[in-house]
Amino acid sequence: MSILKYLGEPRNKLFAARKYLKALGFSSFHTAPNSSVELHSQEEEVVIALGSNVGDRLHNFKEALKLMRNSGINITRHACLYETAPVYVTDQPRFINSAVRGVTKLGPHELLSTLKRIEKDLGRTDGIRYGPRPIDLDILFYGKYKVRSDILTIPHERIWERPFVMAPLMDLLGSAIDSDTVASWHSFSGHSGGLSGLWEGLGSESLIGEEGMYRVMPLANGLFDWSRRTSIMGILNVTPNSFSDGGNFLSVESAVSQVRLMISEGADMIDIGAQSTRPMASRISVEEELDRLIPVLEAVMSMPEVEGKLISVDTFYSKVASEAVSKGAHLINDVSAGQLDSCMFKVMADLDVPYVAMHMRGDPSTMQSSENLKYDNVCKEISSELYSRVREAEMSGIPAWRIIIDPGIGFSKKTEDNLDILMGLPDIREEIATRSLAISHAPMLIGPSRKRFLGEICSCPAAAERDPATIASVTAGVLGGANIVRVHNVKDNLDAVKLCDAILRQKSSHMKSRH
């Protein structure tokens, strides 16, 4: 009802419309050149879908989001990223699709004009309908209102039939309805179960990985589909005081040799850390961390064996993260989820690499204090606290499709807490899903390798003796939904992961056959 068409109507009807629409909460409206009435609210929540299949698709998305922010659209949430097969016109390249939620003071037609200008600025020209385009921006929802005019229909008329639109739209919601505006979006679907019921009717999660639609993360120069198999992240500590292998790989030569070994044993990723985060570790400076890290990182990046592998840097300093990415690192692993460096989120927003946000209370020197070890429900509290960090990261400009979550096994956790996490990974995802389905779908990394709680349970005081217990914990984690496992012993854990993946594939095939 937020756009009324008046063609040659008397002025008194326009005046009546003005009074009526102000009563609905609109601050003003004006007549467009074709005598339409354009209405402006103080601020409305909107959902905008994005698609691209021409040129550098990810760059097109990044530029579109930047131009949207600069044009009065404050982006508050991002969906996951999907690579999809083209529909309607099938003889064209594959698309990437997503959607964002935001707030704006632009009226609906002003918003449409803004998005059309952005499309044009990014090289879109008039072509065949549903044909190739560098960027496609569609308004799915505008506040609580339905819009009808010659050039604009909101809700977008073909939402309900398009899985590549519905999947990212659902990502932007939580399983709980958190506002009247979201409730209205559900009502617009016309389905008794709202958008959730409509999505279920289309096939919901069973469509992901089928019908040419995959949930992906931009990583290195490609798109990472973490659902296909579990990834192994090998640990390289170039520190004198790490709990398991401190001092073993301080020289560039020994570090390179260890990387070569882990890659030969099947590592998909190498995580290089130059600052110990074991309990009670004292913090070193940015400069000291860089002095340890950069020579090793440069040497590792030049190794022929690293071709096709992913290099991660474990740091909570934004300056180290920035320097590491400039040297070729593909992702940043932050045990503090931005708590130990207030600049981390803003820096990561500009770096365009995935970001691992891990749950931890305090810092390594305080995380095992009695206060930081108090939980009533460890999985629920991890979910809430980790989501609050990720939410802040998103608001700072890190899209959900670049975020990896880590529940932080061994960090501000007692032995029983770590066991609860290993049993409760699905519960952590489910709890996060009440707030954001996108973040609940994010890749999950776990790092139980050789941790103290394994030694306590198995009476293994030496960290190097805890590999069998690590394998058991990795097995539990992968069967519970972990997508990346961070380990010291690559070879033996790889075999465990392969078996877990085979079990999960078999389970999935049985479930599909029943449907």
Side-chain angles (χ1 to χ4, degrees), residues 468-512:
T470 297
I471 292 166
S473 61
V474 162
T475 298
V478 173
L479 293 178
N483 309 106
I484 306 168
V485 294
R486 183 179 181 273
V487 296
H488 298 85
N489 179 335
V490 169
K491 182 176 182 293
D492 293 339
N493 281 286
L494 177 61
D495 287 344
V497 162
K498 284 180 177 178
L499 181 61
C500 291
D501 285 350
I503 291 171
L504 292 172
R505 282 193 299 271
Q506 187 76 357
K507 180 180 179 181
S508 177
S509 68
H510 286 324
M511 291 177 67
K512 287 178 180 177

Side-chain angles (χ1 to χ4, degrees), residues 270-274 286 289-302 310-334 344 347-348 351-354:
I270 302 295
D271 189 43
I272 307 175
V286 170
E289 186 173 335
L290 285 170
D291 286 345
R292 292 177 184 176
L293 172 69
I294 297 304
V296 171
L297 178 60
E298 288 178 335
V300 168
M301 294 305 301
S302 67
L310 299 167
I311 303 302
S312 166
V313 167
D314 181 354
T315 185
F316 50 73
Y317 284 139
S318 61
K319 288 181 180 178
V320 174
S322 183
E323 187 67 19
V325 172
S326 76
K327 298 293 183 182
H330 302 116
L331 63 153
I332 296 299
N333 181 10
D334 179 3
M344 180 61 93
V347 168
M348 288 304 306
L351 288 180
D352 285 341
V353 299

Side-chain angles (χ1 to χ4, degrees), residues 383-398:
S383 302
S384 176
E385 292 167 21
L386 183 56
Y387 177 70
S388 72
R389 300 306 305 154
V390 171
R391 185 87 180 93
E392 187 176 331
E394 260 202 287
M395 294 293 286
S396 300
I398 305 174

Side-chain angles (χ1 to χ4, degrees), residues 16 43 112 124 126 145 151 179 196 207 220 245 251 308 314 316 322 326 356 358 364 387 398 410 414 456 474-475:
E43 193 168 72
L112 176 66
R124 182 168 175 180
D126 293 335
Y145 305 104
I151 60 172
S179 70
S196 303
L207 296 175
D245 51 7
S251 73
D314 181 354
F316 50 73
S322 183
S326 76
V356 182
M358 194 196 80
Y387 177 70
I398 305 174
K414 301 184 293 294
E456 291 177 357
V474 162
T475 298

Side-chain angles (χ1 to χ4, degrees), residues 31-58:
T31 54
N34 66 353
S35 297
S36 292
V37 178
E38 173 74 356
L39 309 175
H40 302 253
S41 67
Q42 286 298 311
E43 193 168 72
E44 293 294 347
E45 189 164 19
V46 297
V47 176
I48 298 167
L50 299 89
S52 174
N53 75 333
V54 172
D56 186 336
R57 300 173 299 173
L58 293 168

